[in-house]
């Protein structure tokens, strides 16, 4: 897992600019082991983010949720 120190809202806007499917899904199994976590250095707010791929390797989208 990678930790990125950046404003989470700005990071999500950038993701939405590049990917068609970016969804907040709190109960997603993909977020149990996220690909990366965005941490706001000022507020400490954290967002878990995972890329979702199909069984055949096709990209399906990005899921995210806030952590406490």
């Amino acid at each position: 897992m990678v930790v990125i120190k950046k404003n989470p809202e700005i990071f999500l806007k950038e993701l939405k600019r590049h990917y068609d499917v970016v969804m907040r899904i709190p109960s997603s199994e993909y977020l149990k082991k996220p690909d990366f976590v965005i941490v706001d250095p000022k507020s400490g707010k954290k967002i878990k983010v995972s890329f979702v791929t199909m069984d055949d390797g096709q990209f399906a989208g990005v899921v995210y949720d806030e952590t406490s």
Side-chain angles (χ1 to χ4, degrees), residues 23-44:
M23 300 178 295
R24 181 177 184 203
I25 305 178
S27 60
S28 175
E29 291 292 317
Y30 292 102
L31 294 174
K32 288 185 177 181
K33 292 185 179 179
D35 291 320
F36 49 94
V37 176
I38 312 304
V39 179
D40 187 333
K42 293 181 182 176
S43 70

Side-chain angles (χ1 to χ4, degrees), residues 11-19 22 36 49 51 62:
F11 192 85
L12 287 174
K13 282 182 184 178
E14 291 172 1
L15 277 179
K16 291 175 182 177
R17 196 176 307 148
H18 296 284
Y19 298 101
V22 178
F36 49 94
V49 180
F51 291 101
V62 179

Side-chain angles (χ1 to χ4, degrees), residues 3-11 37-47:
V3 176
I4 300 171
K5 293 184 179 185
K6 188 171 187 174
N7 182 307
E9 285 80 23
I10 292 173
F11 192 85
V37 176
I38 312 304
V39 179
D40 187 333
K42 293 181 182 176
S43 70
K45 179 179 177 180
K46 298 177 185 177
I47 294 181

Side-chain angles (χ1 to χ4, degrees), residues 44-55:
K45 179 179 177 180
K46 298 177 185 177
I47 294 181
K48 299 183 288 185
V49 180
S50 287
F51 291 101
V52 179
T53 56
M54 307 296 265
D55 290 337

